[in-house]
């Protein structure tokens, strides 16, 4: 069982405890480690023992703004092992290594027919929970996976791929959706502002689509990590004027497309200025409603287009799974910090206040995995 057994973990359904540890959201900026019941599963459902769950910007937003009612258990970039399966589940059995999506659309309603899956009512219903109002549940030892997710939103992890690599399937899908939204043509020049883990994934995917990449970030440490993924044309935004430098590199025109992978609204103007007339600007991290300053003539006269993209697309599931599981990108290398559930507060704090050398933060309900591989 050399490679084959490397990441396999057996689970005996009789050994499932009645209670587990979970990080419970109790209100704005209040997430606590609590003991909660292990979720019960029904017919067609599965219980998955969580190995790794990425901390996502949208989790941080929900926790810091109180946009969702409490209590909830967040976490939706989940990979782990099937612990037990409900009646009628034939596709999976205990011990199978899987990653699970938390949102899967119906594919039949008005929005699905128009391919705006994120607006579908079934899509908005969350299909994974560790208790309370379903909210992903990955920040817990076990997660209940509901029937439509078992059918359409569960992905088997090949034995040669780690749980850590696999927990990137959902974020990669959301990035791929953003790349398609820009309609990149081979040979186009793309500027990505922000080289956190998502900015790096977006840049690698844009390059894969045939674009020439320029990346910028305030921190040289991040640009260096980006370079290790083949993103060599970098701008250190703390020293160099990004818009001027991009124009220099593009015969004075500006980038054909600009990806804004930094939250908040303060860089929207920079992103628009760095795009050439007729160029596209992808707002990828602007998840909060509010007001922003936009130059209307840049859109009307200069014909620049603002493009948005949010969440994952079921149409891109196959491609994103292939990208991750075939290791087209060594995504594990983007993980800079791994925290046990007991350090959930530190994990959220670090993810919310990224340091120059911090990248992806993942939660690993550790005690269950002693002696096993990542
Ligand atoms: Zn996410
Ligand atoms: Zn639908």
């Amino acid at each position: 069982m050399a490679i084959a057994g490397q990441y396999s973990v057996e689970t005996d359904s009789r050994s499932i405890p009645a209670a587990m540890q979970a990080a419970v959201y109790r209100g704005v900026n209040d997430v606590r480690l609590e003991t909660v019941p292990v979720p019960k599963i029904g017919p067609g459902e599965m219980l998955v023992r969580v190995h790794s769950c990425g901390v996502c910007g949208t989790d941080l937003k929900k926790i810091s703004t109180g946009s969702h009612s409490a209590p909830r258990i967040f976490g939706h970039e989940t990979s782990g092992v099937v612990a037990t399966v409900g009646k009628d589940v034939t596709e999976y059995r205990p011990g199978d290594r899987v990653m699970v999506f938390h949102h899967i659309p119906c594919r039949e309603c008005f929005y699905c027919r128009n391919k705006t899956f994120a607006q579908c009512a079934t899509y908005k219903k969350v299909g994974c929970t560790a208790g309370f109002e379903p909210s992903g549940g990955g920040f817990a030892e076990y997660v209940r996976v509901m029937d439509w997710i078992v059918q359409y939103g569960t992905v088997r992890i090949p034995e040669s791929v780690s749980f850590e690599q696999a927990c990137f399937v959902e974020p990669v899908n959301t990035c791929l959706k953003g790349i398609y939204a820009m309609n990149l043509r081979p040979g186009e020049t793309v500027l990505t502002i922000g080289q956190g883990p998502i900015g790096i994934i977006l840049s690698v995917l844009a390059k894969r689509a045939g674009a020439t990449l320029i990346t910028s970030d305030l921190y040289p440490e991040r640009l260096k990590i980006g370079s290790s993924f083949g993103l060599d044309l970098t701008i250190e935004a703390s020293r160099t004027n990004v818009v001027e430098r991009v124009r220099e590199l593009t015969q004075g025109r500006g980038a054909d497309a600009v990806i804004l992978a930094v939250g908040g609204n303060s860089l929207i103007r920079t992103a628009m200025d760095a795009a050439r007339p007729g160029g596209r600007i992808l707002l990828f991290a602007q998840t909060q409603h509010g007001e922003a300053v936009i130059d209307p003539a840049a859109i009307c006269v200069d014909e620049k287009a603002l493009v948005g993209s949010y969440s994952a697309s079921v149409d891109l599931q196959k491609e994103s799974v292939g990208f991750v599981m075939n290791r087209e990108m060594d995504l594990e290398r983007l993980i800079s910090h791994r925290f046990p559930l007991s350090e959930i507060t530190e994990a959220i704090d670090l993810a919310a206040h990224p340091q120059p050398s911090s990248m992806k933060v993942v939660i690993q309900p550790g005690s269950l995995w002693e002696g096993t591989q990542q």
Side-chain angles (χ1 to χ4, degrees):
M1 293 238 298
I3 272 281
Q6 190 175 4
Y7 298 118
S8 66
V9 184
E10 291 303 319
T11 301
D12 178 347
S13 61
R14 288 166 299 183
S15 66
I16 293 165
M20 65 174 183
Q21 303 270 282
V24 183
Y25 166 76
R26 288 280 169 193
V28 177
N29 290 326
D30 182 4
V31 177
R32 304 175 200 168
L33 185 69
E34 294 184 14
T35 302
V36 299
V38 170
K40 294 270 177 285
I41 57 163
E45 301 187 338
M46 310 196 289
L47 189 69
V48 167
R49 190 162 66 130
V50 179
H51 182 286
S52 293
C53 184
V55 178
C56 171
T58 58
D59 297 321
L60 300 171
K61 188 196 118 192
K62 290 168 196 164
I63 292 164
S64 67
T65 62
S67 57
H68 291 55
S69 64
R72 286 171 190 259
I73 300 171
F74 292 123
H76 59 265
E77 300 176 358
T78 308
S79 62
V81 168
V82 175
T84 130
V85 298
K87 199 172 147 283
D88 304 330
V89 175
T90 51
E91 192 88 345
Y92 301 97
R93 55 193 180 87
D96 285 351
R97 303 166 72 250
V98 294
M99 73 72 52
V100 288
F101 280 89
H102 63 314
H103 286 300
I104 288 291
C106 75
R107 301 170 204 230
E108 282 164 9
C109 72
F110 172 86
Y111 291 113
C112 285
R113 289 197 310 272
N114 286 283
K115 304 232 173 262
T116 41
F117 300 114
Q119 312 306 326
C120 159
T122 303
Y123 186 92
K124 289 184 182 189
K125 249 181 6 182
V126 182
C128 291
T129 183
F132 308 112
E133 186 68 31
S135 302
F139 300 155
E141 289 179 316
Y142 290 92
V143 63
R144 171 185 156 213
V145 182
M146 290 178 227
D147 55 359
W148 78 100
I149 303 286
V150 172
Q151 280 186 295
Y152 306 113
T154 300
V155 178
R156 221 175 262 285
I157 307 173
E159 288 190 327
S160 57
V161 174
S162 70
F163 291 107
E164 293 189 347
Q165 174 84 6
C167 77
F168 280 92
V169 168
E170 192 265 357
V172 161
N173 187 311
T174 65
C175 290
L176 202 52
K177 183 178 164 193
I179 296 300
Y180 278 110
M182 285 189 302
N183 271 320
L184 289 181
R185 287 181 292 277
E188 286 196 309
T189 299
V190 173
L191 165 71
T192 306
I193 300 176
Q195 289 289 280
I198 291 296
I200 292 178
I201 294 172
L202 283 162
S203 305
V204 168
L205 289 171
K207 202 172 161 182
R208 179 177 174 266
T212 300
L213 262 290
I214 306 170
T215 59
S216 75
D217 199 285
L218 287 173
Y219 300 127
E221 292 89 338
R222 298 189 153 216
L223 295 171
K224 208 172 145 203
I225 295 171
S227 302
S228 76
F229 287 97
L231 306 166
D232 296 321
L233 196 47
T234 61
I235 304 173
E236 200 179 321
S238 49
R239 294 161 169 261
T240 309
N241 182 305
V242 174
V243 174
E244 282 173 16
R245 180 72 186 126
V246 168
R247 286 186 185 154
E248 265 170 39
L249 290 166
T250 53
Q251 293 153 339
R253 285 193 302 269
D256 298 302
V258 178
I259 299 170
L260 184 52
V262 177
N265 297 339
S266 62
L267 289 171
I268 295 177
R269 182 64 198 257
T270 305
M272 293 187 75
D273 288 349
R276 68 160 164 83
R280 295 88 77 203
I281 301 98
L282 174 68
L283 304 185
F284 196 79
Q286 281 54 51
T287 53
Q288 240 149 321
H289 288 283
E291 287 174 16
V293 180
I294 282 168
D295 171 8
I299 296 174
C300 174
V301 180
D302 300 336
E303 300 181 317
K304 298 182 186 183
L306 284 174
V307 180
S309 181
Y310 183 65
S311 203
S313 164
V314 72
D315 278 355
L316 299 174
Q317 201 162 312
K318 200 164 170 247
E319 188 176 352
S320 54
V321 167
F323 181 84
V324 174
M325 303 304 182
N326 298 330
R327 309 190 63 91
E328 280 190 51
M329 185 177 177
D330 198 359
L331 293 150
E332 293 150 302
R333 283 209 289 120
L334 288 176
I335 300 176
S336 61
H337 293 79
R338 298 159 175 87
F339 288 96
L341 266 179
S342 57
E343 290 171 30
I344 184 76
T345 321
E346 289 88 332
I348 289 170
D349 195 52
L350 177 67
H353 306 97
Q355 303 300 306
S357 57
S358 69
M359 281 272 145
K360 186 72 177 178
V361 174
V362 299
I363 301 295
Q364 297 182 329
S367 58
L368 291 169
W369 299 98
E370 268 162 32
T372 69
Q373 297 278 332
Q374 292 161 0

